[in-house]
Amino acid sequence: MPDWLELVLRVAGVLVAFLTLPLVVGQAEHKVMAHMQGRLGPMYAGGFHGWAQLVADGVKFVQKEDVTPRDADRQVFRLAPAVALVPYLLVLLVIPLGPGDLVAQPLDIGLFFVLAVVGVGVLAVLMSAWASANKYSLLGGLRGAAQLLGYELPLVLAAASVAMAAGTLSLSGIVEAWRPWWLLWQAPAMVIFFVAGLAEIRRPPFDMPIADSELVFGYMTEYTGLRFAFFLLAEYVGIVVIAALTTVLFLGGWQGPFADAQLGWLWTLLKVFAVAFVIIWLRVSYPRLREDQLQRLCWLVLVPLALAQLVLTVAVRLAM
């Protein structure tokens, strides 16, 4: 097979995953929240178990008028939803689904690339907040910037711990070096990475930049129609990305109870959806953190724990 054709097929596969996995997670969130909170509405659309709820939401967004505020910076305002989506698409290119060639673009510095690209998401928040010419949006954007920049540090430190343990920055290399006993000594790093990842994608209880009870809808207040839908799609893609990174870095990726490499992709997907379920469950179970609680958790809890985990990793590596 020519190299260019193989590249096209790999990119096409990532695009399919980029467009389908977030929809599956969105549909799962509708159903999980409906069961946990006793919601009847999401269980009726389309008949059996409300299977058409996501389709109904999509039709609703398409029919809505696309409004741009009169005083908005139109070019930046319209570009922000795309900036929110593109980093996650690039991250999916380097996340391995299984051993061998089941990755669109293997990189020796894949973890460094992922952490660098994920940090671009703060630009979309600031662009939408500033360009909207709305005080609620601006407040949400400032909250988002403080939150994303703060939680970037424990996210990077936790990822550095597992990279140091594996001795490589390659995501595939980390999975190959992973052993089941890592679930014990890398557990603090996994919890830190997972919590910081939730804050990075602004999921409850870390949704202070949106805070509909205070800021209408934060930096997304002025968005309607498909542009608003793109921001929601970016949130669900973010869930897939954080779940996939948690799986690859801390849960062994494609490694499972059976040594069958052909089923590696299945183990990866099962773990990703299990982590995504936990993300949805946390949204239903915990109230939104106040701004002071959010920053205190970052700087007084997660950062010291991440530094302590790095010291532990160094000690274990020297002892091995």
Side-chain angles (χ1 to χ4, degrees):
M1 180 184 297
D3 291 341
W4 65 268
L5 180 57
E6 182 179 357
L7 178 61
V8 169
L9 292 176
R10 288 174 182 270
V11 173
V14 171
L15 284 175
V16 171
F18 178 76
L19 295 174
T20 57
L21 290 179
L23 298 181
V24 174
V25 172
Q27 181 76 350
E29 182 172 60
H30 278 110
K31 304 311 166 189
V32 170
M33 292 180 63
H35 283 293
M36 288 185 172
Q37 297 180 332
R39 296 184 178 187
L40 298 179
M43 309 305 291
Y44 279 91
F48 176 73
H49 211 67
W51 65 269
Q53 181 61 50
L54 200 64
V55 177
D57 289 340
V59 173
K60 176 186 68 175
F61 284 124
V62 170
Q63 290 178 335
K64 284 187 174 181
E65 183 181 2
D66 183 14
V67 178
T68 301
R70 180 185 58 190
D71 296 328
D73 186 328
R74 293 178 177 270
Q75 292 183 346
V76 177
F77 182 85
R78 294 171 178 171
L79 186 61
V83 175
L85 279 170
V86 170
Y88 294 130
L89 175 60
L90 295 178
V91 169
L92 289 177
L93 288 172
V94 300
I95 294 180
L97 185 61
D101 295 331
L102 287 179
V103 56
Q105 183 58 53
L107 291 178
D108 292 336
I109 55 170
L111 181 59
F112 178 81
F113 174 82
V114 165
L115 296 176
V117 171
V118 167
V120 177
V122 67
L123 292 179
V125 175
L126 292 175
M127 288 169 63
S128 60
W130 177 258
S132 294
N134 181 295
K135 293 181 180 179
Y136 292 110
S137 298
L138 182 59
L139 286 173
L142 293 177
R143 284 183 178 183
Q147 175 175 319
L148 297 179
L149 292 176
Y151 279 86
E152 194 75 24
L153 181 57
L155 186 79
V156 172
L157 291 175
S161 173
V162 71
M164 188 181 301
T168 179
L169 288 174
S170 167
L171 295 178
S172 298
I174 291 174
V175 176
E176 292 171 356
W178 184 88
R179 296 295 179 268
W181 66 279
W182 284 24
L183 291 172
L184 297 177
W185 73 297
Q186 290 296 322
M190 179 176 66
V191 173
I192 293 166
F193 184 90
F194 180 74
V195 173
L198 286 182
E200 286 289 307
I201 60 176
R202 301 168 293 284
R203 287 283 298 183
F206 302 97
D207 57 339
M208 283 300 296
I210 297 174
D212 51 314
S213 60
E214 306 167 33
L215 302 179
V216 186
F217 220 64
Y219 61 91
M220 294 189 286
T221 298
E222 296 292 350
Y223 283 89
T224 59
L226 286 177
R227 289 195 176 89
F228 182 77
F230 287 157
F231 270 117
L232 293 184
L233 179 62
E235 178 180 331
Y236 288 123
V237 180
I239 294 176
V240 173
V241 167
I242 293 301
L245 289 176
T246 303
T247 296
V248 168
L249 296 178
F250 300 100
L251 299 179
W254 61 77
Q255 297 193 39
F258 307 105
D260 187 355
Q262 300 298 324
L263 295 177
W265 62 271
L266 180 59
W267 290 118
T268 301
L269 289 179
L270 288 176
K271 294 175 184 179
V272 168
F273 284 117
V275 176
F277 172 81
V278 174
I279 294 175
I280 296 170
W281 172 68
L282 289 175
R283 172 179 180 174
V284 178
S285 303
Y286 290 93
R288 180 184 301 122
L289 295 175
R290 296 198 314 265
E291 186 68 22
D292 61 317
Q293 294 172 331
L294 187 143
Q295 294 296 343
R296 189 180 298 115
L297 174 64
C298 175
W299 295 105
L300 299 183
V301 178
L302 295 186
V303 171
L305 283 178
L307 293 173
Q309 177 64 38
L310 278 178
V311 174
L312 174 62
T313 301
V314 171
V316 173
R317 285 287 293 177
L318 292 177
M320 291 175 61

